[in-house]
Amino acid sequence: MADEPSNGELGRLIQALRDDVREDLGNLNGRLDSFVSQDVYTIEKTQIDSRVATLETKREQDADRLVATRRWMIGVVITVVVALLPYLAMTVKGAGA
């Protein structure tokens, strides 16, 4: 019976346990206040998805524009070369004559 705590000691232990539980709940409430609500999260996620879709569309348009510019440049080079071929042929023939 000497090992059993007294009523006063039990009361102090119970009070300490209650204080620990209150402190833990206070910490938990503090952490929960920093979380975003489901509604806000859903709205933000929808906005981010919309932005990503817009950026992907713009990236595809830029890629298409780049391909068109390359084709145009190749066409210009071929046109210039074809236009200069008769002149170069006449120059080479004239120099050889």
Side-chain angles (χ1 to χ4, degrees):
M1 289 211 196
D3 292 15
E4 292 182 20
S6 66
N7 286 339
E9 191 175 342
L10 280 175
R12 285 188 295 276
L13 289 173
I14 290 172
Q15 187 60 43
L17 179 63
R18 292 171 90 189
D19 291 342
D20 285 344
V21 169
R22 275 194 199 120
E23 182 182 339
D24 290 345
L25 288 175
N27 290 337
L28 184 60
N29 283 336
R31 291 182 64 199
L32 288 175
D33 288 342
S34 66
F35 285 101
V36 176
S37 71
Q38 183 69 32
D39 295 337
V40 172
Y41 173 79
T42 302
I43 291 169
E44 287 180 352
K45 186 175 182 323
T46 302
Q47 289 176 346
I48 289 172
D49 290 345
S50 173
R51 284 176 155 174
V52 168
T54 302
L55 289 173
E56 287 176 348
T57 302
K58 286 183 179 183
R59 185 191 56 80
E60 289 171 2
Q61 290 172 348
D62 287 345
D64 292 344
R65 213 174 293 134
L66 182 63
V67 168
T69 302
R70 285 181 183 163
R71 286 182 182 158
W72 181 83
M73 290 176 69
I74 291 170
V76 168
V77 169
I78 290 172
T79 303
V80 169
V81 169
V82 167
L84 289 177
L85 277 178
Y87 172 75
L88 291 174
M90 288 173 49
T91 305
V92 169
K93 240 183 191 179

